[in-house]
Amino acid sequence: MNLSVIIPAYNEEEVIKKTIISLFEILTQNNIPHEIFVINDNSTDSTEDILINLLNSIPTLRYETNKGHNGFGYAVRYGIERVSGDCVAIFMADLSDSPADLVLFYQKMKEGDFDCVFGTRWSKGGKVIDYPLLKKVINRIANFIIRICFKIKYDDTTNAFKLYKRKTLDGLKPFIAPHYNLTIELSLKAIIRGYSYAVLPNLWTNRKWGESKFKIKEMGSRYLFIMLYCLIEKYFSKNDFKKRT
Ligand SMILES: Nc1nc2c(ncn2[C@@H]2O[C@H](COP(=O)(O)OP(=O)(O)O)[C@@H](O)[C@H]2O)c(=O)[nH]1
Ligand SMILES: [Mg+2]
């Protein structure tokens, strides 16, 4: 099972090299056939120069600049359209997610033949280090509302780090979300369309380098929009978009 790792990156000069090298090393040690596909979003710092240099030493690295509209969601969607792996991970450039967890996600998907593997940072075994307090309060409220509305037990829909089969992603189209809200669009659609998923605990560490691009004020209404969109699909679409077997 070939793995494609999609990394959206916007101005990550301080950390992108570390992220790629750690991923490459751990995936290679575990004999996981993979490609690491970085989507650079017209970064204005030296992210692109670093990527060009790394191409010489990391044989599984590929990068492209998304010249279209900028944004986390557009970058991830750009990647989804261009990867070739049987399964696709979305992984953050700032090394907030743990490369070791990706190996566990991959093994879980392979062993159980799951359509998706999702992480939780909040249930038993999951962990966060230096999670900003305001963000945490909003995160827990948002995930609680999602759990009630969608009648699910999974408590970390907003966690961006997830693993999907490529076929599953094909079944989640058309994609709507341009920004961070793509994270919940993909996972909620996977759940309501009947794709199987396993949940594993994962570790999230606040970035030690660079700056967060996430702005709650800009994203709040966008998350609500996508959540309502998925709710409408869940309750009114008569299962027209369900997984076909
Ligand atoms: N390609 C692309 N990546 C982005 C954009 N905004 C954020 N990212 C990446 O998305 C990931 C998460 O963003 P981050 O700023 O760390 O958000 P936070 O962890 O919620 O504070 C990082 O890998 C960023 O480089 C964007 O507009 N385009
Ligand atoms: Mg981050």
Side-chain angles (χ1 to χ4, degrees):
M1 192 168 78
N2 283 320
L3 167 68
S4 296
V5 187
I6 292 178
I7 306 183
Y10 177 64
N11 289 353
E12 298 288 4
E13 64 183 1
E14 285 159 273
V15 63
I16 190 77
K17 186 171 173 182
K18 267 189 218 59
T19 305
I20 292 169
I21 292 176
S22 345
L23 269 173
F24 175 70
E25 283 179 352
I26 202 153
L27 294 174
T28 311
Q29 279 159 14
N30 286 278
N31 298 317
I32 299 180
H34 70 277
E35 62 174 343
I36 299 171
F37 186 21
V38 180
I39 296 96
N40 163 41
D41 221 353
N42 305 297
S43 295
T44 50
D45 66 359
S46 61
T47 298
E48 185 164 14
D49 299 333
I50 295 169
L51 289 168
I52 292 171
N53 274 326
L54 274 176
L55 288 174
N56 298 320
S57 52
I58 309 285
T60 57
L61 175 65
R62 196 179 143 199
Y63 97 89
E64 281 185 38
T65 292
N66 178 16
K67 300 221 170 61
H69 291 294
N70 286 4
F72 175 93
Y74 284 126
V76 172
R77 285 160 59 180
Y78 185 94
I80 291 173
E81 298 304 335
R82 289 165 180 79
V83 287
S84 58
D86 309 299
C87 58
V88 181
I90 299 159
F91 198 89
M92 299 306 103
D94 61 358
L95 209 49
S96 287
D97 312 310
S98 148
D101 282 339
L102 178 55
V103 173
L104 299 177
F105 277 34
Y106 173 88
Q107 287 164 347
K108 184 83 183 173
M109 175 170 274
K110 208 172 163 184
E111 281 159 20
D113 196 26
F114 293 103
D115 295 324
C116 327
V117 179
F118 297 157
T120 172
R121 300 164 289 186
W122 313 104
S123 297
K124 202 166 168 265
K127 196 173 170 193
V128 293
I129 297 174
D130 288 338
Y131 205 91
L133 182 63
L134 176 63
K135 220 172 152 180
K136 179 172 174 181
V137 172
I138 294 172
N139 178 300
R140 298 324 298 140
I141 294 172
N143 277 289
F144 177 75
I145 294 171
I146 290 172
R147 280 171 56 195
I148 300 296
C149 294
F150 290 85
K151 300 188 177 131
I152 55 174
K153 286 208 182 101
Y154 177 48
D155 66 352
D156 203 5
T157 309
T158 54
N159 185 347
F161 168 44
K162 289 187 161 74
L163 178 66
Y164 295 89
K165 285 214 177 114
R166 199 151 57 90
K167 272 194 191 150
T168 305
L169 289 170
D170 287 341
L172 305 182
K173 290 176 180 178
F175 302 130
I176 309 288
H179 297 288
Y180 289 98
N181 48 354
L182 183 70
T183 293
I184 67 167
E185 177 182 354
L186 297 180
S187 39
L188 288 175
K189 278 181 173 172
I191 293 170
I192 61 189
R193 293 185 183 185
Y195 290 89
S196 64
Y197 63 99
V199 177
L200 285 185
N202 78 294
L203 165 67
W204 186 93
T205 313
N206 201 4
R207 58 164 73 238
K208 297 187 187 77
W209 307 272
E211 274 174 27
S212 168
K213 286 99 200 167
F214 183 86
K215 308 242 173 1
I216 286 166
K217 269 195 193 149
E218 288 174 15
M219 288 302 145
S221 84
R222 293 184 165 109
Y223 273 85
L224 184 64
F225 160 66
I226 286 295
M227 198 193 93
L228 293 174
Y229 175 92
C230 291
L231 261 188
I232 290 172
E233 177 175 317
K234 176 176 168 66
Y235 289 105
F236 297 99
S237 68
K238 298 267 183 208
N239 293 337
D240 283 344
F241 306 100
K242 276 262 171 179
K243 176 184 180 184
R244 286 168 209 268
T245 45

